[in-house]
Amino acid sequence: MNTLSNDKTHFLVGQVAVITGAGRGIGAAIAGSLADLGATAVLCGRTRAALDSAAETIMDAGGKAEVVPCDVTSLESVEGAAKRVESSLGRVDILVNNAGIGGFGRPLHQLPPDAWDQILNTNLRGVYFAIRSFAPMMIRARSGHIINISSITGKNPLPNGAAYAASKWGLNGLSYSVAEELRGHSIRVSVICPGSTNTDLSPHAGKDPAKMLQPEDVAHALAMLVTQSPQSFVSEIILRPTQKP
Ligand SMILES: NC(=O)c1ccc[n+]([C@@H]2O[C@H](COP(=O)([O-])OP(=O)(O)OC[C@H]3O[C@@H](n4cnc5c(N)ncnc54)[C@H](OP(=O)(O)O)[C@@H]3O)[C@@H](O)[C@H]2O)c1
């Protein structure tokens, strides 16, 4: 018997989904989509006003949202967010590691060390901090789904964006490895590698924004992952725009 209902509107009712970088772009679209599926969306990020506005949009549409400001480059901040989620909501079912920054436009030998640190500390170490802080709650519950937002750049070379590419290649390796570590705890780990997406992350010079992926396309792919029946999981999605932008 197929345990999946055709109507997935209430699929995540009672569940808690934490989304980093949820104030705008892909993260805001993911938070909205998970709330549409019935989850309480916990919106994390550094800019309180952006988080409040994204949460308001969700609540205006009848969804549940909480704002928990957090900087993924600080272990103290991420651990504080996890404690807050545990004390106010008591659980975390879905963790979406989406927070990320770009850093394009110059060859690696011209990249200042502080820019390297900022990119790697956000896009890669931040995911480690979030998993370190939130996975124990999932392990105790013997259930959970962690979804890391990587990039198609994690599969390809990116001249003038080597640090960003390194962060995303690293994130893919981290995701495949943690998936094996957590499988025995009934926790699923997936990674999504989107192509160019129409957000503030990068000007995407020379590309047609109308042909690029939209944040909602990534949110839709993630919704497919979290509505997969629990005995299986999609470990990786490579998401491309239909027409080359
Ligand atoms: N756009 C693309 O073409 C594309 C393609 C493939 C993959 N991606 C990936 O998708 C993810 C989302 O990017 P986006 O395109 O939606 O970019 P975006 O619009 O610039 O959003 C990035 C989000 O990350 C948050 N963030 C940045 N640094 C943070 C930190 N230290 N702690 C917590 N939150 C932080 C930002 O909020 P605050 O600044 O307020 O903290 C913002 O909400 C990134 O991981 C990116 O690498 C993007």
Side-chain angles (χ1 to χ4, degrees):
M1 195 186 83
N2 186 356
T3 53
L4 280 178
S5 157
N6 284 334
D7 175 10
K8 293 181 177 164
T9 320
H10 299 113
F11 208 90
L12 303 179
V13 167
Q15 296 199 18
V16 173
V18 172
I19 306 103
T20 67
R24 62 171 191 263
I26 293 170
I30 289 171
S33 150
L34 293 176
D36 283 347
L37 287 167
T40 298
V42 178
L43 284 69
C44 299
R46 294 170 303 178
T47 311
R48 175 91 213 201
L51 296 171
D52 283 342
S53 150
E56 214 173 286
T57 305
I58 290 173
M59 291 187 292
D60 284 350
K64 292 185 181 157
E66 284 215 6
V67 165
V68 177
C70 156
D71 179 346
V72 299
T73 65
S74 156
L75 181 58
E76 197 187 358
S77 175
V78 184
E79 281 179 342
K83 281 194 188 109
R84 227 181 111 179
V85 169
E86 186 160 31
S87 64
S88 69
L89 297 163
R91 59 192 288 162
V92 60
D93 301 278
I94 296 167
L95 168 65
V96 184
N97 288 307
N98 164 79
I101 56 169
F104 313 110
R106 44 187 163 187
L108 188 68
H109 66 273
Q110 289 175 5
L111 188 76
D114 62 335
W116 167 273
D117 287 346
Q118 196 59 29
I119 295 165
L120 270 292
N121 289 350
T122 307
N123 299 2
L124 188 53
R125 199 176 65 166
V127 177
Y128 153 56
F129 284 171
I131 291 174
R132 186 182 156 82
S133 304
F134 284 96
M137 251 191 277
M138 293 180 170
I139 290 170
R140 284 195 292 279
R142 285 203 62 75
S143 145
H145 200 154
I146 297 170
I147 298 121
N148 297 329
I149 308 301
S150 181
S151 168
I152 212 150
T153 300
K155 301 275 174 184
N156 296 322
L158 184 66
N160 298 320
Y164 181 80
S167 73
K168 295 301 188 180
W169 279 75
L171 180 55
N172 287 354
L174 178 152
S175 303
Y176 311 143
S177 306
V178 177
E180 293 308 315
E181 292 171 359
L182 294 180
R183 270 174 102 166
H185 298 280
S186 299
I187 296 165
R188 306 184 282 182
V189 179
S190 309
V191 60
I192 303 180
C193 300
S196 298
T197 309
N198 188 14
T199 70
D200 296 344
L201 185 90
S202 152
H204 296 289
K207 294 191 179 176
D208 177 354
K211 290 183 181 164
M212 282 167 25
L213 294 170
Q214 304 303 317
E216 292 70 24
D217 296 320
V218 184
H220 181 258
L222 190 134
M224 293 193 305
L225 290 178
V226 297
T227 52
Q228 179 86 7
S229 51
Q231 78 272 11
S232 64
F233 76 106
V234 178
S235 54
E236 180 171 50
I237 289 181
I238 299 176
L239 190 68
R240 301 173 194 276
T242 305
Q243 292 181 47
K244 282 208 163 208

